[in-house]
Amino acid sequence: MSDEIDSLPPLILGDAELQDQLVAAVLSGAKTATSSLHRSYVADDQPLPQPGRQRLLARDGSVAGVVEITDVQIMPISEITDEIAHAEGEGFVDVAAWRRAHEQFWGQVGESAGGSLPEDELIVVERLRLLPPAQTA
């Protein structure tokens, strides 16, 4: 791996088996967006994602590929669309299915109290694309 790739910020999607699935979805081209709770960045005092290249990490910590974050938006959960749900590449048929799955996940990992989130809950939506190997060096 080149020093340049090693110096890129890491992109870690999920954990354990979910991480395997999400990395595979990025590598297949099915996943072109990801979302997270804005409040998690605030609670952890972490900077918000920024456009630019990142190294996509596999579960074992190896670099699975390099992605470019092309856009970052912060929007209320009520403004998430079917298009965003489909771009997540996880097979959501519509935004309602996306929302149920994400509310459950965020509750399970302790990022929310579980159950329904308020309509004004802020979501960070990142658009991404996998870079071909020639563009990763």
Side-chain angles (χ1 to χ4, degrees):
M1 198 60 42
S2 79
D3 288 341
E4 183 180 352
I5 291 174
D6 289 342
S7 70
L8 295 174
L11 177 61
I12 301 170
L13 299 172
D15 61 6
E17 292 175 14
L18 177 60
Q19 186 173 3
D20 294 340
Q21 294 168 5
L22 297 178
V23 167
V26 170
L27 296 177
S28 75
K31 184 170 186 63
T32 59
T34 193
S35 56
S36 51
L37 287 173
H38 180 266
R39 71 165 91 167
S40 296
Y41 290 97
V42 173
D44 295 340
D45 197 28
Q46 293 293 314
L48 290 171
Q50 298 294 315
R53 296 188 314 153
Q54 295 186 0
R55 49 194 169 101
L56 177 64
L57 297 185
R59 187 187 339 187
D60 65 4
S62 65
V63 177
V66 175
V67 298
E68 179 183 14
I69 304 301
T70 59
D71 186 52
V72 179
Q73 293 180 301
I74 300 171
M75 64 182 64
I77 198 167
S78 62
E79 292 181 17
I80 300 293
T81 63
D82 285 348
E83 187 277 325
I84 292 170
H86 296 147
E88 291 243 357
E90 297 174 58
F92 300 117
V93 296
D94 59 21
V95 71
W98 173 93
R99 185 167 176 167
R100 281 189 304 275
H102 281 73
E103 286 175 336
Q104 179 182 18
F105 172 77
W106 289 325
Q108 287 174 343
V109 298
E111 292 185 23
S112 73
S116 295
L117 292 169
E119 293 298 305
D120 62 349
E121 183 74 38
L122 293 178
I123 306 299
V124 178
V125 178
E126 298 173 67
R127 300 296 187 144
L128 56 95
R129 69 182 184 102
L130 180 67
L131 295 177
Q135 293 183 351
T136 62

